Amino acid sequence: MIDPTLANELKCALAHFIGTEKYYRIHPKAVLTDGTNYLAETAGCYWLMDLYASHLSKIDPDVESFTCLKLNRIGTGVLIVIDDGNDNQLAKQHVEYTDFPLASFIMYGVWSGQFWVLMLTSAY
């Protein structure tokens, strides 16, 4: 069950991230920004960052250099869809159980020329 107080506190905190001062490597070809690193630490969701990076490793950045991860809660789990930002689906995965504190969430993965940068929408 989602704790509404925790969810609201997390949403408020995430809204303050509008850029980054540092990258945090989580995969040979993917990094987190300050905001996504904060989310991973605070919500205990490094699994989400790993899942995203894993799917991004299969995407040709010369074809798709911008991606959008959309997470939606379904019961005790979540459905994750990764698209090109125009609702053209690139990947989809259902996670049966998670204690992720938000009912829905969107983040971006942008190719930097060398690696994928996983960022909050407010940091784009």
Side-chain angles (χ1 to χ4, degrees):
M1 176 166 214
I2 297 174
D3 177 347
T5 303
L6 175 61
N8 285 334
E9 288 174 4
L10 185 57
K11 284 180 189 177
C12 288
L14 294 176
H16 293 283
F17 291 96
I18 57 170
T20 197
E21 293 182 6
K22 181 179 177 183
Y23 288 138
Y24 305 82
R25 185 150 314 268
I26 59 153
H27 187 272
K29 289 283 188 178
V31 297
L32 302 178
T33 60
D34 292 335
T36 49
N37 187 63
Y38 173 85
L39 174 64
E41 286 183 357
T42 304
C45 66
Y46 281 101
W47 63 268
L48 178 61
M49 306 307 163
D50 288 338
L51 182 149
Y52 199 5
S54 175
H55 284 290
L56 290 175
S57 70
K58 300 171 193 155
I59 294 173
D60 182 351
D62 291 331
V63 176
E64 299 294 343
S65 59
F66 177 90
T67 65
C68 180
L69 178 143
K70 298 173 183 174
L71 175 151
N72 285 295
R73 179 161 296 285
I74 299 175
T76 59
V78 292
L79 177 64
I80 295 168
V81 176
I82 299 168
D83 68 35
D84 66 355
N86 292 314
D87 293 325
N88 297 308
Q89 186 175 300
L90 305 171
K92 181 177 177 179
Q93 185 170 342
H94 180 256
V95 177
E96 260 185 69
Y97 177 80
T98 179
D99 60 356
F100 188 72
L102 303 176
S104 64
F105 179 71
I106 297 174
M107 64 186 283
Y108 300 144
V110 180
W111 183 250
S112 73
Q114 298 176 338
F115 47 81
W116 290 98
V117 179
L118 281 56
M119 65 181 69
L120 301 175
T121 58
S122 59
Y124 183 70

